[in-house]
Amino acid sequence: MIRGVCPHYSLSVSMGIYDVDDRDADMGVMCDRALLALRSVKNNYDVHWAWYDASMREELLEEQHINAIMKTSLENGEFVPYFQPQYNYDTGKLIGAEALVRWIHPQRGMIPPGQFIPVFEKNGFIYEMDCYIWEKVARSIRGWLDAGIDVPPVSVNVSRRDLYHPDLVEVLKGIVEKYGLTYDKLRLEITESAYMDNREQLLRLVSEMKKSGFHVEMDDFGNGYSSLNTLKDVPVDVLKMDMAFLSQGKRNGKGGNILSSVVRMAHGIDLPVIAEGVENALQAEFLKSIGCLYMQGYFFARPMSGTEFEKLIRGDKAQSAPDERFMATFDNASDFLDATTQSTLLFNSFVGGAAILEYHSGKVVALRINDNFYKILGTNRDDHPDMRYRILESFTPQTRDAFVEMLETAIRTGEEADCETCCTYVMNNGSPTWIFNRVRCLARKVDSYILYISIENITSRKLLSAHLSEQRRELSAIINSIPGGIFKCAAGEDDQFTYISDTMLDMLGYTREEFVDKFDNRFSNMIYREDRGAALAKIRSDIEITGSTDVCEYRIETSDGNLKWVHNAGRLVEDDDGQRYFVVVIVDIDERKALEIKHERDRAEIETMINSIPGGVATIQILPDDMKLIYASDGVAEIAGLTMREFEKMFKNDPTRGIYPPDKPMADRAIRDAASNRSNLDATFRIVHKDGSLVWINMYGQAVDKIDGYPVMHVVYHNFSATTQLYREILNETDQILLVSDIDTQEVLYANRAAAQLAGREFEQAVDMTCYEYLFGDDAPMWTSPAETIATGAVSYDMEYKSRHYRVRVSPINWNGHNACILRLRDRTDAYHERESIENMLKHIPGGLTVFRVDKGSLTRTYMSDNAFDVLGYTRGETPQPKIEDTFGRVHPDDLAPLKIAIKTAISTLSPFYFDMRIIPRYQPMRWVNIVANPATGEDECVYFYGIYTDVTWRKSLEGNEV
């Protein structure tokens, strides 16, 4: 239909599919999983749908985990540089190294770069990590240079995301200059794919790097999508060529031709080439033959730590590339590889299959295979021309490891080694072919080995052996399936034993003679006398009805005098002569019986213990939207005045159903918080008794397990009514006004009798009311939020309401799972009026009064009478600041220091003191003032300093002092 309207319009649809196996699962979860599947085929235009599997979720969780720990890991120094050497293969000289990041986690060990680098490139953290590694590498180079070590150039990687940071070049220059390096020592590698993202920006950045003095290398060439034109435009110094041309695809020779062309083209524009990923001598020799001498890869060395790299660059011998000399392990071994020798004719016509193998790091290639080798496997060279490369693939995984172990044993010992393998790549009439292999090592070249192998088809012998082994297994299974003793006895009254197995005698501890003598060789005598009647009656009844019995249990006395419980399973059989016998298997069930007896005893003890607990015990499962009662003792039902049947019917699907409605939200929250945090539950609330009364209950418990993913909590119920009533009576006896309120909502949780009298309403009327609405009604004064008031602990303050003065103290408290506060109000109206009277009185006495509060060593004035202003030389327009330094600002300089010392001593010892001092008023003559002070602790537990000042100028003049 779309093409009918827009012929050139193309629509591609992709979808993620989640197979719903639980219809009750959350719809959002289903959609999220389908979306994960869709993202797995994003930008893959050849794939239009994907099924969700658990690995997608695990991959997402792993990515989230890496995001969560990456910054901390960087701060902890878990990212370290590893160095992979680069060699001139022709001279064996170390020419440089590439620095690669490794994440060494303290718990997970080394995390592969492929697991975290893509995540860092996605979230942008790659730049922060790269900067860290650049500096670590520069610091290492500086340290080696300072130690007198000739350090080759080291290349560091610059990520595609790094190129978008405007300060990139300045950061790199800053690192080089910080450690005093030449720009040749720290080289930069930019991956080929980066040149396709933002060509113009990259050209500008590379040019700027080159201008600054850096050597720039194009990394992974041949593994991306760059055009050859890129090499012409981008001013790089070195081309790093990826060996993917040789390691991927079919073995058709095209990869080698492409590599040869790339090297020839690079040399044509004077661009040095380093081949990375070189894994064996064959690759190294090929690269050397096409003119590429600079190489890097596992053939030379794996990435190594800074310590190992330091050891490498300290000595000239350690810097040499691997030796490629051919070393024979015995005389004339090389003849097997020489096509001109007589050995070739012998090899091709040898009776039996034979081949020459090359082995390197778990990989096997057949250099030569004779005709009989193919015949033994039932095939030929034309049908399987690639067999020489697939020797290991032709074996089953179970025998493949044995084949490799055989090769390594022959290499290690220098002797012949052998093994058996099952070949599935080549089939013998549709069946696997079993091969007996015998091998010997011929020679070693670099780190690969040349081996001679002969093979023999042992399929028929193996099948016969397997058949015999299967028969033995079946017989062993029959014997081993009898986990006890076997006996045979005559049927009827004459129940003499005709056969007793050794396992039965061993189980009971008798020799055959002891057993016959002990039980007079009769089955009935073997059964313990207290069990004998019931057991024989049961066996005879079963035999008459079904001809067999297998549910009979009884005891047998063992040789040490103990009794052993056994399970009896028997069948009545008849021989050719018509003689009937009873064939029986007895199984030792002593441990099971002991456990059954113990479990029964433990169950009785537990029930007794539970029933003795004052109150009751219950088990509750906490579900997302409700709760489920799993178990409840009789005591729980008794607290509510119900029978157990009434309780289960009422509370089975809602254990909180009987809670008093105003208390239910609090109780529900306390239970869920304890379950989610796996903390102790300790909640007190009211339930509605069967007779309608309210019963105070304390619930204590803890979440101990999960069922179907939801927590299960064991709780103990205790009737707390008597204790609660006692507490209420105690609190109601005090004249102090006490309230408990939620610290966030200020909702009243409790009020004592004094508070109810002030409010003019009972506590039960306080539902959904704040503590201030409850006390003072709608015209309540403005109060500070308790959450703000007690942010730093308990506080006290004064308030006035309707000509009454109150002292308020607020402190935090945990109230049945609530973050609550307790408010204590004390009516200070009479004391307030008394203070006013005292102040009026102080106005008429000769002298003045000042009160200071001691706070962390400093004194702050809280009160100063008018007379004190006059005595200390202040006029009415002059009001000193509350600090003591300002209050005594008129004291003579010679008297001020002794005064402060006397005050400090009095406060520290809480003892009174007496002091005379000179006062210099601004507009009046100097006068003498006496201060009498007494430190004391106030109601708020702070120390207060009370001072009385008196003008004693006349006395001092009589004593002859200066006035």
Side-chain angles (χ1 to χ4, degrees):
M1 184 173 63
I2 295 176
R3 291 187 180 277
V5 179
C6 302
H8 302 291
Y9 187 83
S10 177
L11 176 65
S12 177
V13 178
S14 298
M15 66 181 69
I17 307 170
Y18 169 63
D19 187 4
V20 178
D21 55 3
D22 182 5
R23 295 182 178 271
D24 296 328
D26 185 80
M27 180 61 70
V29 173
M30 298 181 188
C31 294
D32 290 342
R33 292 178 175 178
L35 183 58
L36 279 177
L38 177 61
R39 289 175 179 171
S40 69
V41 296
K42 185 178 180 181
N43 298 327
N44 190 346
Y45 301 105
D46 294 331
V47 181
H48 299 286
W49 65 82
W51 289 86
Y52 169 82
D53 60 48
S55 63
M56 296 177 181
R57 180 174 180 271
E58 292 173 0
E59 182 179 346
L60 179 62
L61 292 175
E62 174 66 13
E63 181 175 337
Q64 292 173 348
H65 178 67
I66 289 175
N67 284 328
I69 66 174
M70 59 186 185
K71 290 186 178 294
T72 303
S73 296
L74 187 67
E75 294 171 359
N76 293 340
E78 296 174 14
F79 295 95
V80 296
Y82 268 48
F83 301 86
Q84 186 171 30
Q86 300 166 339
Y87 288 94
N88 182 326
Y89 183 64
D90 190 40
T91 64
K93 185 69 175 177
L94 180 70
I95 60 168
E98 179 182 0
L100 303 166
V101 63
R102 293 294 184 265
W103 185 354
I104 304 177
H105 193 273
Q107 284 79 40
R108 299 174 58 180
M110 184 175 290
I111 302 176
Q115 195 168 334
F116 64 88
I117 292 294
V119 178
F120 291 174
E121 289 181 339
K122 184 189 300 183
N123 61 26
F125 186 68
I126 189 71
Y127 179 66
E128 189 173 346
M129 186 200 68
D130 281 347
C131 290
Y132 177 83
I133 293 298
W134 297 337
E135 181 145 355
K136 292 275 285 188
V137 171
R139 187 184 302 133
S140 297
I141 296 174
R142 180 71 270 163
W144 293 327
L145 291 174
D146 292 343
I149 302 173
D150 184 14
V151 184
V154 179
S155 303
V156 296
N157 286 282
V158 179
S159 171
R160 288 179 297 178
R161 295 293 297 268
D162 299 341
L163 302 174
Y164 292 95
H165 286 264
D167 58 345
L168 173 62
V169 178
E170 293 302 319
V171 168
L172 290 167
K173 289 170 61 179
I175 292 174
V176 172
E177 294 171 1
K178 177 180 178 180
Y179 292 97
L181 305 179
T182 61
Y183 284 89
D184 179 62
K185 287 296 183 185
L186 189 69
R187 299 185 174 185
L188 309 179
E189 289 191 12
I190 303 176
T191 186
E192 176 199 13
S193 57
Y195 293 82
M196 301 301 294
D197 293 343
N198 192 330
R199 181 183 177 87
E200 298 302 324
Q201 179 183 2
L202 184 63
L203 290 174
R204 179 182 58 79
L205 276 173
V206 173
S207 298
E208 189 175 348
M209 292 175 182
K210 292 277 293 177
K211 185 177 180 181
S212 299
F214 285 106
H215 285 249
V216 181
E217 303 173 356
M218 179 186 289
D219 191 20
D220 287 341
F221 186 82
N223 202 27
Y225 304 96
S226 295
S227 66
L228 298 179
N229 194 45
T230 304
L231 294 177
K232 176 178 67 69
D233 297 331
V234 179
V236 297
D237 298 288
V238 177
L239 182 68
K240 295 197 70 177
M241 182 172 58
D242 195 284
M243 291 298 292
F245 287 120
L246 292 183
S247 61
Q248 300 175 1
K250 296 182 179 179
R251 299 179 179 271
N252 52 18
K254 293 182 179 179
N257 291 332
I258 294 175
L259 283 179
S260 178
S261 300
V262 170
V263 172
R264 188 166 59 254
M265 174 194 63
H267 289 172
I269 57 176
D270 296 326
L271 190 61
V273 179
I274 297 178
E276 55 183 347
V278 180
E279 296 184 354
N280 53 56
L282 292 178
Q283 292 179 346
E285 286 293 321
F286 174 77
L287 290 169
K288 178 181 177 181
S289 68
I290 62 174
C292 178
L293 302 180
Y294 302 143
M295 304 179 197
Q296 168 187 342
Y298 285 2
F299 175 61
F300 300 94
R302 292 176 177 270
M304 60 188 69
S305 65
T307 303
E308 294 173 327
F309 185 67
E310 180 179 341
K311 293 178 181 178
L312 177 67
I313 61 179
R314 278 185 179 275
D316 293 334
K317 184 177 180 180
Q319 297 182 30
S320 299
D323 191 353
E324 59 168 343
R325 290 176 300 167
F326 179 91
M327 297 179 61
T329 58
F330 59 89
D331 293 340
N332 301 322
S334 59
D335 287 348
F336 283 90
L337 304 177
D338 188 352
T340 64
T341 66
Q342 187 67 22
S343 299
T344 301
L345 297 176
L346 294 176
F347 176 79
N348 289 331
S349 61
F350 187 74
V351 178
I356 305 297
L357 305 181
E358 181 180 18
Y359 176 74
H360 171 70
S361 300
K363 297 180 179 179
V364 179
V365 175
L367 303 180
R368 300 175 64 184
I369 300 176
N370 73 357
D371 295 336
N372 285 332
F373 192 97
Y374 288 96
K375 290 179 180 179
I376 288 175
L377 297 181
T379 184
N380 54 64
R381 297 180 189 273
D382 294 336
D383 292 340
H384 294 90
D386 59 346
M387 178 180 289
R388 58 192 302 263
Y389 301 107
R390 303 182 64 180
I391 294 295
L392 285 181
E393 294 180 25
S394 65
F395 304 135
T396 62
Q398 292 80 4
T399 60
R400 190 177 302 156
D401 294 341
F403 187 85
V404 173
E405 176 62 25
M406 175 192 67
L407 299 181
E408 293 182 346
T409 300
I411 293 169
R412 183 175 62 253
T413 64
E415 303 293 335
E416 287 188 4
D418 57 63
C419 74
E420 295 179 357
T421 55
C422 181
C423 182
T424 56
Y425 175 61
V426 180
M427 307 298 285
N428 182 20
N429 298 324
S431 301
T433 301
W434 279 93
I435 303 297
F436 178 75
N437 306 273
R438 183 179 288 110
V439 68
R440 181 169 181 178
C441 182
L442 298 179
R444 175 175 65 85
K445 184 178 182 182
V446 191
D447 61 347
S448 65
Y449 299 89
I450 308 301
L451 302 104
Y452 175 85
I453 185 173
S454 64
I455 65 173
E456 177 186 355
N457 190 331
I458 59 170
T459 304
S460 58
R461 187 176 72 196
K462 198 71 176 177
L463 292 176
L464 177 60
S465 176
H467 177 70
L468 295 175
S469 297
E470 182 63 26
Q471 287 184 333
R472 287 194 298 269
R473 281 195 298 269
E474 291 177 357
L475 183 58
S476 297
I478 294 173
I479 296 174
N480 294 331
S481 66
I482 304 174
I486 304 175
F487 68 84
K488 179 181 177 184
C489 68
E493 297 297 333
D494 183 15
D495 54 357
Q496 293 284 324
F497 289 107
T498 58
Y499 171 78
I500 304 172
S501 69
D502 292 336
T503 54
M504 177 175 164
L505 295 171
D506 293 340
M507 183 173 65
L508 299 175
Y510 293 104
T511 65
R512 193 170 299 277
E513 292 75 14
E514 290 172 341
F515 182 85
V516 171
D517 183 64
K518 174 72 174 178
F519 302 115
D520 195 23
N521 201 36
R522 294 189 60 185
F523 167 55
S524 55
N525 292 342
M526 183 181 69
I527 304 174
Y528 184 56
R529 58 181 178 272
E530 294 184 5
D531 305 337
R532 190 173 300 159
L536 291 175
K538 176 69 168 60
I539 292 172
R540 288 164 183 161
S541 175
D542 290 346
I543 292 295
E544 291 177 1
I545 298 173
T546 64
S548 63
T549 180
D550 59 357
V551 290
C552 184
E553 297 175 357
Y554 49 83
R555 289 171 290 179
I556 303 175
E557 185 177 350
T558 60
S559 62
D560 55 8
N562 294 320
L563 296 176
K564 181 183 291 294
W565 277 97
V566 298
H567 174 91
N568 184 106
R571 181 176 297 277
L572 188 66
V573 296
E574 186 174 325
D575 62 16
D576 296 338
D577 298 331
Q579 185 70 35
R580 299 203 305 170
Y581 294 94
F582 191 36
V583 180
V584 179
V585 175
I586 60 171
V587 180
D588 185 348
I589 59 170
D590 226 20
E591 291 185 5
R592 194 198 79 192
K593 272 293 184 180
L595 287 175
E596 289 178 357
I597 295 171
K598 183 179 182 301
H599 288 166
E600 180 62 26
R601 184 171 61 251
D602 291 347
R603 185 191 63 79
E605 289 178 358
I606 291 172
E607 284 190 357
T608 301
M609 181 177 62
I610 290 176
N611 291 330
S612 66
I613 295 175
V617 177
T619 301
I620 300 171
Q621 184 176 25
I622 292 81
L623 303 174
D625 300 322
D626 55 11
M627 300 182 193
K628 180 180 179 182
L629 180 67
I630 297 176
Y631 167 80
S633 67
D634 295 343
V636 180
E638 291 174 1
I639 292 175
L642 302 170
T643 66
M644 197 64 203
R645 185 173 182 180
E646 291 172 334
F647 183 84
E648 290 181 347
K649 182 178 180 181
M650 183 179 300
F651 296 99
K652 186 67 175 177
N653 296 318
D654 185 5
T656 64
R657 180 176 177 182
I659 297 178
Y660 184 49
D663 297 350
K664 187 169 183 178
M666 176 275 297
D668 185 82
R669 182 171 62 183
I671 294 171
R672 292 187 178 277
D673 288 348
S676 61
N677 299 328
R678 296 189 71 85
S679 58
N680 289 336
L681 167 67
D682 190 356
T684 303
F685 49 85
R686 292 164 290 181
I687 67 169
V688 181
H689 194 269
K690 184 176 180 180
D691 61 11
S693 63
L694 296 180
V695 179
W696 280 94
I697 296 296
N698 174 259
M699 179 187 286
Y700 184 84
Q702 187 178 33
V704 296
D705 207 346
K706 285 188 177 182
I707 297 179
D708 298 331
Y710 299 110
V712 173
M713 180 174 288
H714 296 325
V715 295
V716 177
Y717 290 83
H718 178 61
N719 190 333
F720 209 57
S721 295
T723 306
T724 302
Q725 184 61 31
L726 177 61
Y727 289 160
R728 290 169 64 94
E729 290 176 0
I730 292 173
L731 295 177
N732 286 334
E733 288 300 320
T734 180
D735 294 334
Q736 193 174 24
I737 300 168
L738 297 175
L739 298 98
V740 179
S741 70
D742 187 285
I743 200 169
D744 297 317
T745 66
Q746 304 182 37
E747 178 185 352
V748 177
L749 303 176
Y750 171 76
N752 70 346
R753 184 179 298 160
Q757 290 175 352
L758 176 62
R761 68 186 97 195
E762 295 298 325
F763 165 56
E764 286 70 15
Q765 298 175 276
V767 178
D768 296 331
M769 297 179 67
T770 67
C771 53
Y772 309 118
E773 291 173 338
Y774 173 71
L775 285 177
F776 305 113
D778 294 337
D779 56 344
M782 295 299 293
W783 292 66
T784 306
S785 167
E788 299 174 359
T789 302
I790 63 174
T792 58
V795 296
S796 300
Y797 53 88
D798 296 322
M799 63 159 288
E800 180 181 359
Y801 179 68
K802 292 186 178 180
S803 302
R804 303 297 295 177
H805 296 268
Y806 298 94
R807 181 69 171 177
V808 183
R809 182 171 176 79
V810 186
S811 56
I813 186 176
N814 185 284
W815 186 268
N816 293 336
H818 282 273
N819 288 326
C821 60
I822 182 169
L823 291 86
R824 303 175 179 88
L825 281 74
R826 187 182 297 277
D827 192 332
R828 299 291 299 274
T829 304
D830 294 339
Y832 180 81
H833 292 320
E834 182 179 349
R835 178 177 176 180
E836 288 184 332
S837 300
I838 292 174
E839 289 183 346
N840 290 329
M841 180 181 67
L842 289 175
K843 292 179 180 179
H844 299 89
I845 65 173
L849 174 66
T850 303
V851 181
F852 292 93
R853 183 175 64 193
V854 181
D855 185 12
K856 297 181 181 178
S858 62
L859 278 70
T860 303
R861 191 181 73 240
T862 61
Y863 174 77
M864 189 170 181
S865 67
D866 293 341
N867 290 348
F869 281 93
D870 296 338
V871 172
L872 293 175
Y874 292 97
T875 64
R876 296 299 179 184
E878 296 177 310
T879 303
Q881 297 298 318
K883 296 294 183 181
I884 189 170
E885 291 82 358
D886 299 317
T887 302
F888 292 135
R890 298 285 192 262
V891 177
H892 192 283
D894 294 340
D895 298 337
L896 185 59
L899 174 63
K900 290 184 177 180
I901 294 173
I903 293 174
K904 183 176 181 181
T905 302
I907 292 172
S908 63
T909 60
L910 292 181
S911 59
F913 84 105
Y914 177 94
F915 190 84
D916 290 340
M917 57 186 177
R918 288 167 287 182
I919 299 298
I920 306 175
R922 181 175 295 181
Y923 304 108
Q924 301 175 19
M926 185 184 72
R927 66 183 66 162
W928 281 91
V929 173
N930 171 260
I931 175 173
V932 179
N934 185 27
T937 303
E939 292 182 358
D940 58 358
E941 300 181 357
C942 291
V943 176
Y944 288 83
F945 187 76
Y946 303 90
I948 298 178
Y949 310 97
T950 307
D951 191 332
V952 294
T953 303
W954 60 274
R955 176 169 61 79
K956 285 293 184 178
S957 64
L958 292 177
E959 294 174 356
N961 289 293
E962 177 185 2
V963 177

